Amino acid sequence: MSAARAEPERDPAKRAAELRRLLEHHGYRYYVLDDPEIGDDAYDALLDELRAIEADHPELVTPDSPTQRIGGEPVSDLIKVRHPQQMLSLANARSAEELRAWIQRMRNHLAREGITDPEFEYVAEPKIDGLAISLLYRNGVFERGATRGNGEIGEDVTHNLRTIPAIPLRLDIDDPPTMVEVRGEVYMSLPDFAALNERRAQAGLSTFMNPRNSAAGTIRQLDPKLTADRPLSVWCYAIGATQGISFEAHWEALEWLREHRFPVHPDVKKLQIEDEVVAQCQSWEQRRGSLDFEIDGVVVKVNEVELQRRLGVVGREPRWAIAWKFPPTTAVTRLNQIGWNPGKFGDLHPYAMLEPVHVGGVTIKLATLHNEEDLARKDLREGEEVIVLRAGDVIPQVLSPGPHVAEREKRPPPPHPPAECPICQTPTVKPEESVFTRCPNRDCPGRRWQLLKHFVGAMDIDGLGEKQVSLFMELGWVRTAADFYRLDAERIAGQPGFGEVSAQKLVTAVEDSKRQPFGRVLYALGIEEVGYVTGRNLSQQFRTIDGLLGASIEEIEQTQGVGPKMAQTIHDQLHDEQMLGLIEDLRAQGLRLEQEGPAPGTGPLAGKTFVLTGTLPNLTREEATERIVAGGGKVTGSVSRRTGYVVAGESPGSKLAQAERLGVQVIDEDGLRSLLP
Ligand code: IVH
């Protein structure tokens, strides 16, 4: 579908349907293909317009409307539901020999059925380590989503599955099948998992053991609002029960899913030769650590549905599919010692120094322990056995004491945070409201290193990572973030790991970062509680660094997403002498300390609300919206007395009549252009 030109709407029902189609299209581009066509603002404007229509015409709200994804009511209990077709499990193979033996067993079985020398085609897919789900579409509409449960009876989790943006609420087919049941795996991506645990650790809450547990806990939430806060993803891998549609091969089903916008992993492969299947399994095993979600194996399926039927099922396991399982990612080892590392605000983070152990394909010696409370909750002691987990690229973590710890008569004393900072030896402090003991020394090299690392990450400076930051600190070239902008290519070129070209490249990347917007600079400064979003909100609210520095705590509190405590922290940390010095230094280096573009409430279109109707000669509705928003104006869906202008194109709808009735000014595309900046 093309988003290019919006059809002129005739009535609210038609426009609502059109908006839903557009929102589905753009949601798909963003969430499934990771390739958006329009900006967030334009997407939000479409959503706002749909919300406005639905508010005016509640009878037009449909369950498959994109407005209905979140905001569903909490349920009081999870209801048990019977799957229209049993959800099977899989037999395992742990080596190439076992995989080949499986193929031989299939041949033997078919030979007994009178089929000699079957030409197998195989499909190899990642075995995603999440939770199996079933999505039921009746007449093209997502009706019910359920967990696997025992394979026959699962739990209705429709309210939560709706919040997953990659799951279509409606099939984009004119003549949808009466019923189709899509099967897939819900999971939490590793970055989302790490961020969630980080947030929970910071808030002093218990952390999840692994992405799978975290996805499992999330999908069974009763309140969909909580689910929406914990990002889940999904890969679809099969079609279950159907009515009004059928497939002759598994590959066909996958293609159908892809065509109808279900997320199917792009590296699923169709293969003919046994050796290729083995090679494919091994290749997934090698790539395992570089994926951004966890897989615990590869599923190999026989492609032809007729052969699947002939092969049949034993117990709950089909003969026609197998899971090539990877070695586990947990291991038991000794926790030799607990170390403490200051973060960028001096908060001491515990970490485990382990007896080196081989897990998930690599040797690990260090693992994170999150925070003191987590450490206490897990009841870990130095010198004892522990269970460690290594999940993909996430930093390894210590899960719990080892299997035999409970049998011990005498355990070592529980660990305590150190009385002195392990890096700078300053006596530590423990603020009452914090789960962290802190190093209070602003000049602590450990803290500085973290702050500088944060700065280069936030400013997205290519080629400047941990290693380089450490090197430049050791050389005494960099103490504050402003020092990066004084680095000299010639001197860098003489350092180990650098040549002339790489040194010049690095200096250019640093120079380029001066173009990062003000909001990002605010984030990069490393003010407690100011993440990327708050940085951007502050930049929009105050426009310039001087505006922000001149603001009172009460004024800072007016910023979106900033509460009273946060406002106090931001104010205090901004007015700290070192911070003021850094800001001046960065200003002198030419970083952007002003917001570009018009301020809300100050652009040429400030305070003006626009309503679009009909087809404009040269601008699509989305383009027109983007330009109005860029000029400081707002676009809404329905005409009222407060509407500034109605922009009418060809075949305008009822909004034009409404505008005329209310006496709202009506302009055409040229009229709009003359108002734009
Ligand atoms: S197919 C034959 N395909 O693995 C049908 N399952 O042990 C069985 N899983 O409960 C399922 N990725 O949760 C299939 N690409 C994939 C899978 C997959 C993960 C899970 C699923 C299932 C379990 C079977």
Side-chain angles (χ1 to χ4, degrees):
M1 183 182 72
S2 154
R5 193 157 304 279
E7 288 280 305
E9 92 291 1
R10 270 157 228 102
D11 57 45
K14 287 227 173 76
R15 179 62 183 159
E18 178 187 340
L19 284 167
R20 278 176 204 138
R21 225 173 33 240
L22 281 170
L23 286 161
E24 273 160 20
H25 170 77
H26 292 302
Y28 172 68
R29 301 284 319 187
Y30 185 87
Y31 290 107
V32 180
L33 300 184
D34 197 13
D35 183 19
E37 283 173 351
I38 59 170
D40 293 359
D41 287 346
Y43 183 87
D44 290 346
L46 292 174
L47 196 59
D48 281 347
E49 189 185 345
L50 180 58
R51 284 209 186 98
I53 296 179
E54 289 180 348
D56 285 350
H57 305 276
E59 73 284 1
L60 293 180
V61 180
T62 59
D64 64 346
S65 174
T67 58
Q68 304 301 299
R69 283 201 186 265
I70 26 180
E73 289 302 308
V75 297
S76 55
D77 234 338
L78 295 182
I79 294 166
K80 298 251 186 295
V81 292
R82 183 171 287 278
H83 297 301
Q85 182 179 308
Q86 196 187 10
M87 293 181 80
L88 299 170
S89 55
L90 291 166
N92 295 331
R94 284 172 208 284
S95 63
E97 289 69 46
E98 288 186 19
L99 189 98
R100 291 181 198 278
W102 163 65
I103 295 176
Q104 193 52 50
R105 281 200 303 279
M106 290 198 293
R107 291 192 188 284
N108 296 344
H109 184 91
L110 290 173
R112 288 196 293 275
E113 295 261 306
I115 303 171
T116 44
D117 274 333
E119 292 265 322
F120 285 129
E121 267 193 326
Y122 309 93
V123 178
E125 308 168 358
K127 186 169 188 300
I128 302 113
D129 196 8
L131 296 119
I133 48 146
S134 145
L135 308 168
L136 198 66
Y137 291 81
R138 229 180 263 286
N139 300 315
V141 177
F142 175 48
E143 183 180 272
R144 190 190 78 193
T147 61
R148 177 178 185 277
N150 66 9
E152 273 154 39
I153 292 175
E155 284 172 320
D156 187 332
V157 288
T158 315
H159 58 296
N160 290 332
L161 289 170
R162 272 182 179 290
T163 68
I164 301 179
I167 294 181
L169 297 179
R170 198 180 55 80
L171 302 179
D172 65 329
I173 320 181
D174 292 335
D175 188 15
T178 319
M179 192 263 272
V180 58
E181 189 204 3
V182 176
R183 303 266 174 90
E185 195 87 349
V186 160
Y187 66 95
M188 190 172 287
S189 79
L190 290 165
D192 285 341
F193 168 68
L196 175 66
N197 260 1
E198 187 58 29
R199 277 207 310 276
R200 291 181 66 90
Q202 292 287 351
L205 297 169
S206 64
T207 51
F208 286 106
M209 294 256 266
N210 56 45
R212 191 180 183 282
N213 281 354
S214 153
T218 304
I219 202 67
R220 299 189 70 254
Q221 285 284 345
L222 297 177
D223 186 350
K225 285 196 193 64
L226 297 177
T227 311
D229 275 349
R230 296 185 188 173
L232 290 177
S233 307
V234 67
W235 288 120
C236 295
Y237 54 65
I239 286 180
T242 60
Q243 275 168 24
I245 189 171
S246 66
F247 301 94
E248 279 173 19
H250 176 56
W251 189 254
E252 251 180 53
L254 293 179
E255 284 190 320
W256 186 91
L257 287 172
R258 246 192 217 123
E259 189 186 328
H260 297 298
R261 298 182 175 170
F262 289 90
V264 175
H265 197 276
D267 290 338
V268 168
K269 286 239 159 39
K270 184 163 71 171
L271 305 162
Q272 271 85 21
I273 300 168
E274 208 171 301
D275 287 347
E276 288 176 348
V277 176
V278 172
Q280 188 60 25
C281 291
Q282 287 163 341
S283 138
W284 275 110
E285 190 160 344
Q286 269 164 16
R287 288 166 53 197
R288 179 188 200 181
S290 60
L291 300 171
D292 76 349
F293 55 94
E294 279 203 276
I295 61 175
D296 57 349
V298 181
V299 184
V300 183
K301 302 171 183 172
V302 168
N303 189 29
E304 296 88 332
V305 170
E306 177 55 20
L307 281 179
Q308 291 183 356
R309 202 183 59 75
R310 294 296 205 103
L311 285 161
V313 176
V314 234
R316 286 171 190 277
E317 295 168 359
R319 282 198 191 83
W320 48 268
I322 199 149
W324 166 291
K325 291 276 265 198
F326 297 154
T329 48
T330 57
V332 176
T333 190
R334 212 173 89 106
L335 169 57
N336 285 332
Q337 208 188 328
I338 293 170
W340 300 81
N341 238 342
K344 56 181 184 288
F345 306 117
D347 33 342
L348 292 176
H349 295 258
Y351 65 95
M353 291 179 246
L354 306 164
E355 195 57 34
V357 61
H358 204 66
V359 39
V362 296
T363 303
I364 63 170
K365 292 185 278 228
L366 297 173
T368 173
L369 292 167
H370 297 294
N371 61 41
E372 281 168 62
E373 283 182 14
D374 208 49
L375 183 60
R377 201 161 24 227
K378 286 177 177 159
D379 197 25
L380 305 174
R381 311 287 162 90
E382 285 174 332
E384 285 187 344
E385 280 194 333
V386 290
I387 299 176
V388 292
L389 166 85
R390 181 186 168 267
D393 273 347
V394 174
I395 306 164
Q397 25 176 331
V398 178
L399 291 183
S400 64
H404 303 297
V405 165
E407 299 155 18
R408 301 186 69 165
E409 277 182 14
K410 195 164 177 309
R411 300 188 65 193
H416 285 294
E420 287 180 356
C421 170
I423 305 285
C424 70
Q425 281 74 49
T426 306
T428 57
V429 294
K430 167 102 196 219
E432 228 174 77
E433 70 285 356
S434 173
V435 292
F436 291 104
T437 298
R438 284 183 174 226
C439 164
N441 174 16
R442 303 282 309 266
D443 284 321
C444 169
R447 273 180 81 162
R448 280 200 175 279
W449 182 71
Q450 299 279 0
L451 261 178
L452 293 171
K453 224 172 56 154
H454 166 76
F455 183 87
V456 299
M459 296 295 277
D460 201 13
I461 306 177
D462 263 358
L464 198 45
E466 283 187 17
K467 242 175 57 198
Q468 293 76 15
V469 171
S470 304
L471 174 70
F472 298 148
M473 275 183 83
E474 274 163 33
L475 288 166
W477 294 353
V478 170
R479 215 183 65 87
T480 77
D483 294 331
F484 289 123
Y485 298 91
R486 288 185 275 265
L487 284 170
D488 175 58
E490 250 172 63
R491 288 173 72 196
I492 299 174
Q495 290 302 320
F498 281 101
E500 261 175 49
V501 178
S502 56
Q504 189 51 52
K505 245 177 132 170
L506 190 133
V507 171
T508 309
V510 171
E511 190 63 25
D512 286 349
S513 74
K514 290 182 182 172
R515 286 202 293 271
Q516 291 288 8
F518 177 38
R520 214 183 251 258
V521 180
L522 278 177
Y523 164 51
L525 288 178
I527 303 163
E528 234 170 318
E529 312 225 37
V530 177
Y532 175 65
V533 174
T534 307
R536 203 182 57 185
N537 290 343
L538 286 169
S539 77
Q540 275 163 358
Q541 177 88 4
F542 295 100
R543 316 299 301 170
T544 67
I545 191 72
D546 296 318
L548 177 56
L549 288 172
S552 65
I553 295 170
E554 290 71 28
E555 282 164 342
I556 295 176
E557 208 187 314
Q558 301 306 308
T559 310
Q560 194 179 350
V562 176
K565 224 181 107 216
M566 216 164 135
Q568 172 90 50
T569 308
I570 294 171
H571 186 269
D572 290 356
Q573 297 199 3
L574 269 175
H575 290 268
D576 167 90
E577 210 173 305
Q578 281 193 26
M579 181 63 83
L580 290 172
L582 175 64
I583 291 170
E584 283 322 309
D585 206 354
L586 291 175
R587 193 199 303 260
Q589 292 300 329
L591 273 74
R592 285 195 177 159
L593 296 174
E594 287 185 9
Q595 173 72 19
E596 311 250 301
T602 63
L605 306 185
K608 295 274 186 300
T609 304
F610 290 73
V611 173
L612 304 171
T613 179
T615 309
L616 300 177
N618 301 302
L619 289 174
T620 65
R621 212 171 259 265
E622 287 68 46
E623 285 163 350
T625 303
E626 275 192 10
R627 295 197 188 188
I628 293 168
V629 172
K634 249 182 93 175
V635 178
T636 64
S638 49
V639 182
S640 75
R641 264 175 236 289
R642 287 190 307 275
T643 306
Y645 300 93
V646 167
V647 187
E650 204 179 307
S651 320
S654 58
K655 287 175 200 160
L656 180 60
Q658 175 82 348
E660 281 160 359
R661 203 166 42 248
L662 296 175
V664 173
Q665 190 173 348
V666 178
I667 55 175
D668 61 5
E669 183 178 304
D670 284 341
L672 173 63
R673 284 177 186 276
S674 69
L675 295 173
L676 291 173

